[in-house]
Every structure is written in C-alpha cells, then in structure tokens.
Amino acid sequence: MVDIHIYNTKARTKQPFEPIDPSNVRMYVCGPTVYDHVHIGNARPVAVFDVMFRLLRHVYGSDHVTYARNITDIEDKIMERAERDGVSIKSLTERCARQYQTDMLKLGTLEPSLQPKATEHLPEMIKMMKTLIEKGHAYVADGHVMFHVASMENYGQLSRHSRDELIAGARVEVAPYKKDAADFVLWKPSSEDQMGWSSPWGKGRPGWHLECSCMIEKHLGETIDIHAGGQDLIFPHHENEIAQSECSHGATFVNYWMHNGYLTVDGEKMSKSLGNFHTVHDLLKEHEGEALKLSLLVAHYRQPIDFSIKTIQEQKRRLDRWYRLTDGVDADTTIPVAVIEALADDLNTPRAIAALDALASDDTAGALKAGAQFLGLLLKSNDSWFKGDAPDGITASEIEVLIADRIKARANKDFSESDRIRNRLESAGVALEDGASGTTWRKAD
RNA sequence: GGCGCGAUGGCGGAGUGGUGACGCAACGGAUUGCAAAUCCGUGUACACGAGUUCGAUUCUCGUUCGCGCCUCCA
C-alpha cells in the first residue's frame, strides 16, 4: 500500500493520510459559480485535485473513492448577469454549467462522482438553519438568518483568524442587523422579482457558504476525508463551512484541508478589470487541452503559478516529444513507481513529470505512456495529436499530393522545387519531416 | 494594522546539511541536399547580512523585495 502524505492546511504541516473508511474515501472540491466562462485560474484546482482523485482511486480502488465537485448556481452575480443579458437564471446557469463541464473534460480530467447543485439542496439548507437556530448558533434579524460567530468556541481554527482580529480588521461597513461584526449570512431576503425560495423566514436565498455544508453532509456524510479548493477560500468560505457544519452536527467536518495556490498573470491576480483574463474556453481554441493541463501541473499545487502562453507552448513541446516516443507503443500495465511516489508525497506533480521525462527513451516508452496516461495525458492517437483537423485552407489529401510532388522533385535533385513546395506548405501551417521511412507532416506550432 | 506564503541558472521548476533533479531556450557536433525531428556534448543557480556546523542553497535570527487573505474571488 502506498503511503499518501498531504499538507493539511488545518495543521499547517504535512501529515500521513489515513482515510476514515478505506472502502469509501470521500473528497469534496469547491467548484465554480456559473454565470460566465471559467478562467484558467478556476481550472487549477480542477486539474490538481483530479490528480488527487486518480491517486486515491489507484491506492484504494476506483470503486472506493467518492469525489464531489459542486456547481454554485445561486449567487447575486448570477442574478445580475441574467438581468443584464435578459435571460432567465436557469438558462444562464445551465448553459454555463454545461460549458464548464465540457471544458474541464477537454482538459483531460475525470468526471467527478457527483456534481451537486445548490438549487437542488434548499430543503437541506433550511433544515440546517433550523438546527443552528435551535442550538443557539444562529438568529433571525430583519428577514436574515445570521450565524452568530461568538457562539462557537473555536471559530477560526482553519484560517487562524480570531473573532477579535476580524472585527478589528473589518474593512466593510457592519450591517445594522448583525449582532456582531463577525457574524455572517446564512439566509437573506429576496424581493418579489429576485430569485428566491420560500422559507420559515420568508422568501429569500441562501448565503454562499451554506450550500457546501449541506451538500457535503447529504452526499458524503458529517465527516469527510478531504476538502479542497483555492487558497482564497480558506477565509471566509471554508472557515464558515466549518462553523455551520460542526455547530449543526457536532462532529469534525473535514480531516484534511488542501488549498491550491494562486495563478497570476504577469505577477498579478487575474481579473477582468486588469484585462489579463484568460478563459479556458478561449485557450482551448488555440491550445491542446493536454498542454493546458500539463501547464497547470508543472508547478507544485501550493506554489503560485505565473501563467503565460509560453508555458503552454513549452508543455506542448514536451508532449510532442512524449507522443513521438510512444507512437505505436503499448502502455505498460503498471504505473511507474516513481510517478506514484511523487504524487503520494503531497501531490508533487513536478517530480512526477520529471519522473516521466526520465522514462522518455525508447526502451521505457511503455512505462512513460502508462505514467502519462495515469495523469490523463497521451490519450490521443499520434495522428490526431500532430495532424488534428487539417490546418485551415488545405486538406489532408492536398497535403499528400504536394508531398508526393516534392518526393519526385527531390529524386530528381530539383531542390528549388522541393523547397518551394515545403515553403508553400509551411505558409499553410504544415511542417514536414523527412524521416528514414519517408516524409510525414504535422501541424506547425 | 492582523494572519500567511514566497525569493533557486537566460526562462520554467523540484530538491537536498557534503558528488550542479528535470524540462525549455542557447551554443558545439552527428545526421540531413537544406531543414525539421532525433542523438551526443557544453552551465562554476540557490535575494542580502549574521549565526550554528568540519561543511549551508538546505537549519536559526535579522534585512530587503514580491504576493495572498482579512465577510461572499479557485
């Protein structure tokens, strides 16, 4: 049995991973709010924790891991966007959720076991709020249901923020209905024309944190093994999930918290206002999904990544090399130990990739293929990888005709004609390679 | 202000108390009509200053610089 070690945010240290139930290891990852295309930063946790999912399946068996990744389809930004675009909330969220799932699959990630949606868990949310009110952890004020932070002894255990610090550092105006500046919203009132659900406290909608607590409890149980997401979620999102869940059921909420580092562009956080915003959807038009995914895995997940197109191109070249080497080679039936060991050490993907590079030679191509495919790479045929859909403006058969003409010219030592044909193909985006077994072509980079 | 993270060669990026991971780029060579692809070869990197040590890029302290979070952003 492989020993997995995980850096646990709760303990701020690397710990051996011991599942609650090896026959059902449970992991939850915070997914996107669906109101637009997701950006490449949103894809980082998806790519990273997909590797975790694969590793857990490898170690505990593919039928013994449950991985849930939620879709947040209730949020004020959704309402604003739907109104701006004049579309219904439902059509907006469903379209975006579908697009998200399609794009993530193109990155070569596995489909999670479950993809629960907030809108499907209103009864559970109402039930949790009732429990929290009964137990004195929440109160009703001015149409809101608020979580009362002071009612929880060890609030702040994950982020290491004390309630006092929060109040001292508060940057926003304290809403008048709050008993305490640190209190947060479980439920807020909706006007007639806003999205909302009926509840014992009137028509309203849930606060952001409540859905994750409820979906985890319903689908995975009161205590789960791994909860993951971006570093920015540590506070307030995950801290408040802990508060809601542990105060409502009393059990430990999560044993291992994993948080991926930020992805920046030119050293700055990606944001629309800075104009450095790259959506996965757009990137997939220009770049291979596998190259995109590898770009997200070349750095350790807890390190920041300064994203660039150059990185994608570098990873494309690495994959080109791996594809050439493994052409026509069957993948070994076992995954290289070095790859598994690297991943088991707190998901050290750079080391796993280096291990694959070390296997990138003719006599270990089968191992390379097995290891790469374990990560969801090298899954295409070489034809599809190098040729893909024929480049714009020229068909594969036209290319073959020109190659045949060029072979004739070369046989006649008519190199000016030969080069003319090659240049013509090059300007059409086709690169030629004269190998020992003849001339082949591929799409130029 | 509070909490936390980081600084490795031209670039990306692991790791380690004592032989320069790995990849990209660059350069030289082989191969090629020329290329491409491939193969062989080439590199005195660990922000700065102290300390601990036989020995520090790795441990400790300090400095500088950069970044994130502090109520709804992965």
Side-chain angles (χ1 to χ4, degrees), chain A residues 39-269:
Chain A
H39 60 66
I40 184 71
N42 295 295
R44 165 116 102 145
V46 175
V48 163
F49 298 115
D50 173 68
V51 176
M52 193 71 204
F53 183 36
R54 291 167 185 270
L55 178 67
L56 291 171
R57 284 160 54 103
H58 175 77
V59 174
Y60 296 99
S62 48
D63 295 336
H64 300 297
V65 183
T66 307
Y67 167 32
R69 189 179 67 205
N70 73 299
I71 301 276
T72 297
D73 58 356
I74 305 174
E75 222 267 348
D76 287 7
K77 280 198 290 282
I78 295 173
M79 297 197 301
E80 290 161 18
R81 180 61 63 96
E83 191 170 339
R84 191 197 80 181
D85 294 353
V87 296
S88 76
I89 285 169
K90 196 174 161 66
S91 75
L92 174 68
T93 56
E94 286 185 352
R95 175 166 52 80
C96 292
R98 245 192 333 267
Q99 190 60 252
Y100 167 74
Q101 288 164 337
T102 308
D103 288 343
M104 294 309 111
L105 288 177
K106 282 186 191 164
L107 285 183
T109 60
L110 299 173
E111 203 165 335
S113 325
L114 299 162
Q115 302 194 67
K117 291 178 176 169
T119 48
E120 291 164 1
H121 297 79
L122 267 297
E124 288 81 2
M125 296 192 218
I126 288 168
K127 182 163 168 261
M128 186 173 280
M129 285 187 281
K130 279 184 180 165
T131 305
L132 288 170
I133 292 169
E134 277 165 25
K135 292 191 173 182
H137 292 294
Y139 58 94
V140 181
D142 202 15
H144 296 69
V145 180
M146 304 297 299
F147 185 92
H148 193 40
V149 166
S151 74
M152 186 186 188
E153 192 64 43
N154 56 350
Y155 182 84
Q157 53 180 288
L158 180 69
S159 60
R160 304 198 173 177
H161 288 309
S162 75
R163 179 183 147 271
D164 295 344
E165 284 164 7
L166 289 178
I167 293 166
R171 294 184 307 189
V172 292
E173 206 175 323
V174 178
Y177 46 81
K178 285 189 180 183
K179 269 192 197 172
D180 189 298
D183 291 353
F184 60 90
V185 172
L186 297 172
W187 188 261
K188 56 185 163 188
S190 294
S191 62
E192 264 320 298
D193 54 333
Q194 285 179 317
M195 80 187 300
W197 289 262
S198 61
S199 80
W201 315 283
K203 183 188 173 185
R205 58 194 190 279
W208 174 36
H209 319 298
L210 195 55
E211 55 172 288
C212 291
S213 284
C214 291
M215 293 191 281
I216 287 171
E217 185 172 332
K218 179 177 180 185
H219 299 287
L220 303 179
E222 291 186 347
T223 306
I224 65 168
D225 295 296
I226 298 169
H227 189 141
Q231 244 159 27
D232 54 328
L233 296 182
I234 295 172
F235 191 89
H237 186 51
H238 290 159
E239 195 67 76
N240 290 348
E241 282 183 46
I242 293 173
Q244 293 161 349
S245 292
E246 298 197 352
C247 286
S248 77
H249 60 230
T252 297
F253 179 43
V254 171
N255 286 148
Y256 300 87
W257 286 95
M258 299 179 76
H259 292 96
N260 63 274
Y262 253 110
L263 183 147
T264 58
V265 172
D266 300 326
E268 290 187 281
K269 191 168 159 175

